[in-house]
Amino acid sequence: MLLLILASSEHLCAQDIGRIPRWEIGLDALSLIDKNELPAYSIFGRMVLNPQTTKKTSLRLRLGVEGYTNLDSAFSGNRVGLDYRTNSFYISTGIQKELLNLGNCSVYVGGDFGFYRKANLKDHTGEFGWNVIGYDNYREINLRFAGILGYTHQLGNNFAISVESSLQTNYSNQKQDTDYVSAFSEDVLIVTVENRTITIWRSGFTPFYQVLFSYRF
């Protein structure tokens, strides 16, 4: 995919010998349109280590957070006695090295190591006539190792778009902790208890790992 983009756009890449920006900050378009499993609210950054060389090396960083709280027992007009909280956090660091530099266009390889934590917490309060009391909690931790092939095209002096593909391996640890009682009548009670941990390793190729719109300065 990236090689096709490079072949079709190589003639558009004019040499530019002006000032070389060292810092870069941007957003991942895949997260903005909910096509990425990472938190929707995230920011991406790069720092060039050797701006005066032809083929540059850069450090990479991405941070993301997302959270939602619904205190139904306190605020909801249609109260059913359920408080719900969800939150997630992601951080990744890495490095990249240009293989080909054509002025305003470049092709690079690199690697990222990422940590991702997610929690969904439900508290059944039993208030307002709701017949469930207890909790239902889900927590997940992921570690991600990604090899990257990327293409960057600079737009003017300070803006750029980057498309990245990756071959990655993910480790996932998922914990479910559930303990609640459902009361359908004085004589009919159902107790639900679940406490389990699942560990998953998976690998695969992601053709669109990140689509980045960034500002260089």
Side-chain angles (χ1 to χ4, degrees), residues 2-216:
L2 293 173
L3 294 179
L4 290 176
I5 294 175
L6 175 63
S8 62
S9 62
E10 183 174 352
H11 67 282
L12 298 176
C13 300
Q15 295 293 333
D16 185 358
I17 317 178
R19 187 185 67 84
I20 301 174
R22 185 167 185 176
W23 301 89
E24 185 174 356
I25 190 169
L27 299 173
D28 183 3
L30 297 181
S31 292
L32 297 177
I33 60 174
D34 201 24
K35 295 298 183 180
N36 195 314
E37 63 187 40
L38 303 179
Y41 307 102
S42 63
I43 192 168
F44 175 84
R46 282 188 282 223
M47 183 189 74
V48 180
L49 297 177
N50 49 352
Q52 301 305 321
T53 60
T54 302
K55 296 180 180 179
K56 301 170 184 58
T57 300
S58 301
L59 296 179
R60 302 161 52 93
L61 175 68
R62 177 167 176 164
L63 295 171
V65 294
E66 187 174 7
Y68 172 76
T69 299
N70 180 24
L71 300 178
D72 182 76
S73 60
F75 300 110
S76 176
N78 299 317
R79 296 174 176 176
V80 294
L82 173 64
D83 290 348
Y84 180 75
R85 301 173 178 85
T86 180
N87 61 78
S88 59
F89 170 77
Y90 179 76
I91 181 172
S92 71
T93 60
I95 193 169
Q96 68 179 58
K97 170 71 175 179
E98 289 182 342
L99 295 179
L100 182 63
N101 190 316
L102 299 173
N104 285 346
C105 306
S106 65
V107 176
Y108 56 89
V109 294
D112 280 344
F113 171 72
F115 171 82
Y116 177 54
R117 178 182 58 81
K118 180 179 181 179
N120 293 328
L121 311 176
K122 297 180 181 179
D123 183 17
H124 300 276
T125 65
E127 298 178 283
F128 314 111
W130 189 245
N131 62 349
V132 180
I133 301 176
Y135 60 86
D136 183 7
N137 298 333
Y138 171 81
R139 292 179 173 87
E140 179 180 349
I141 291 178
N142 287 318
L143 299 178
R144 172 176 298 186
F145 309 89
I148 299 164
L149 175 63
Y151 169 81
T152 293
H153 189 98
Q154 188 165 334
L155 306 172
N157 295 325
N158 297 101
F159 294 93
I161 181 172
S162 301
V163 181
E164 296 181 350
S165 299
S166 75
L167 181 63
Q168 52 184 295
T169 297
N170 294 312
Y171 165 80
S172 178
N173 182 274
Q174 305 170 17
K175 294 183 178 181
Q176 183 73 46
D177 186 13
T178 300
D179 187 351
Y180 60 84
V181 177
S182 303
F184 294 96
S185 68
E186 293 182 357
D187 300 323
V188 180
L189 299 176
I190 297 178
V191 180
T192 303
V193 178
E194 182 178 4
N195 192 339
R196 61 173 179 165
T197 300
I198 300 175
T199 299
I200 302 173
W201 285 92
R202 62 181 184 272
S203 299
F205 175 71
T206 305
F208 292 102
Y209 174 60
Q210 294 185 133
V211 178
L212 303 166
F213 293 94
S214 57
Y215 175 77
R216 295 179 169 184

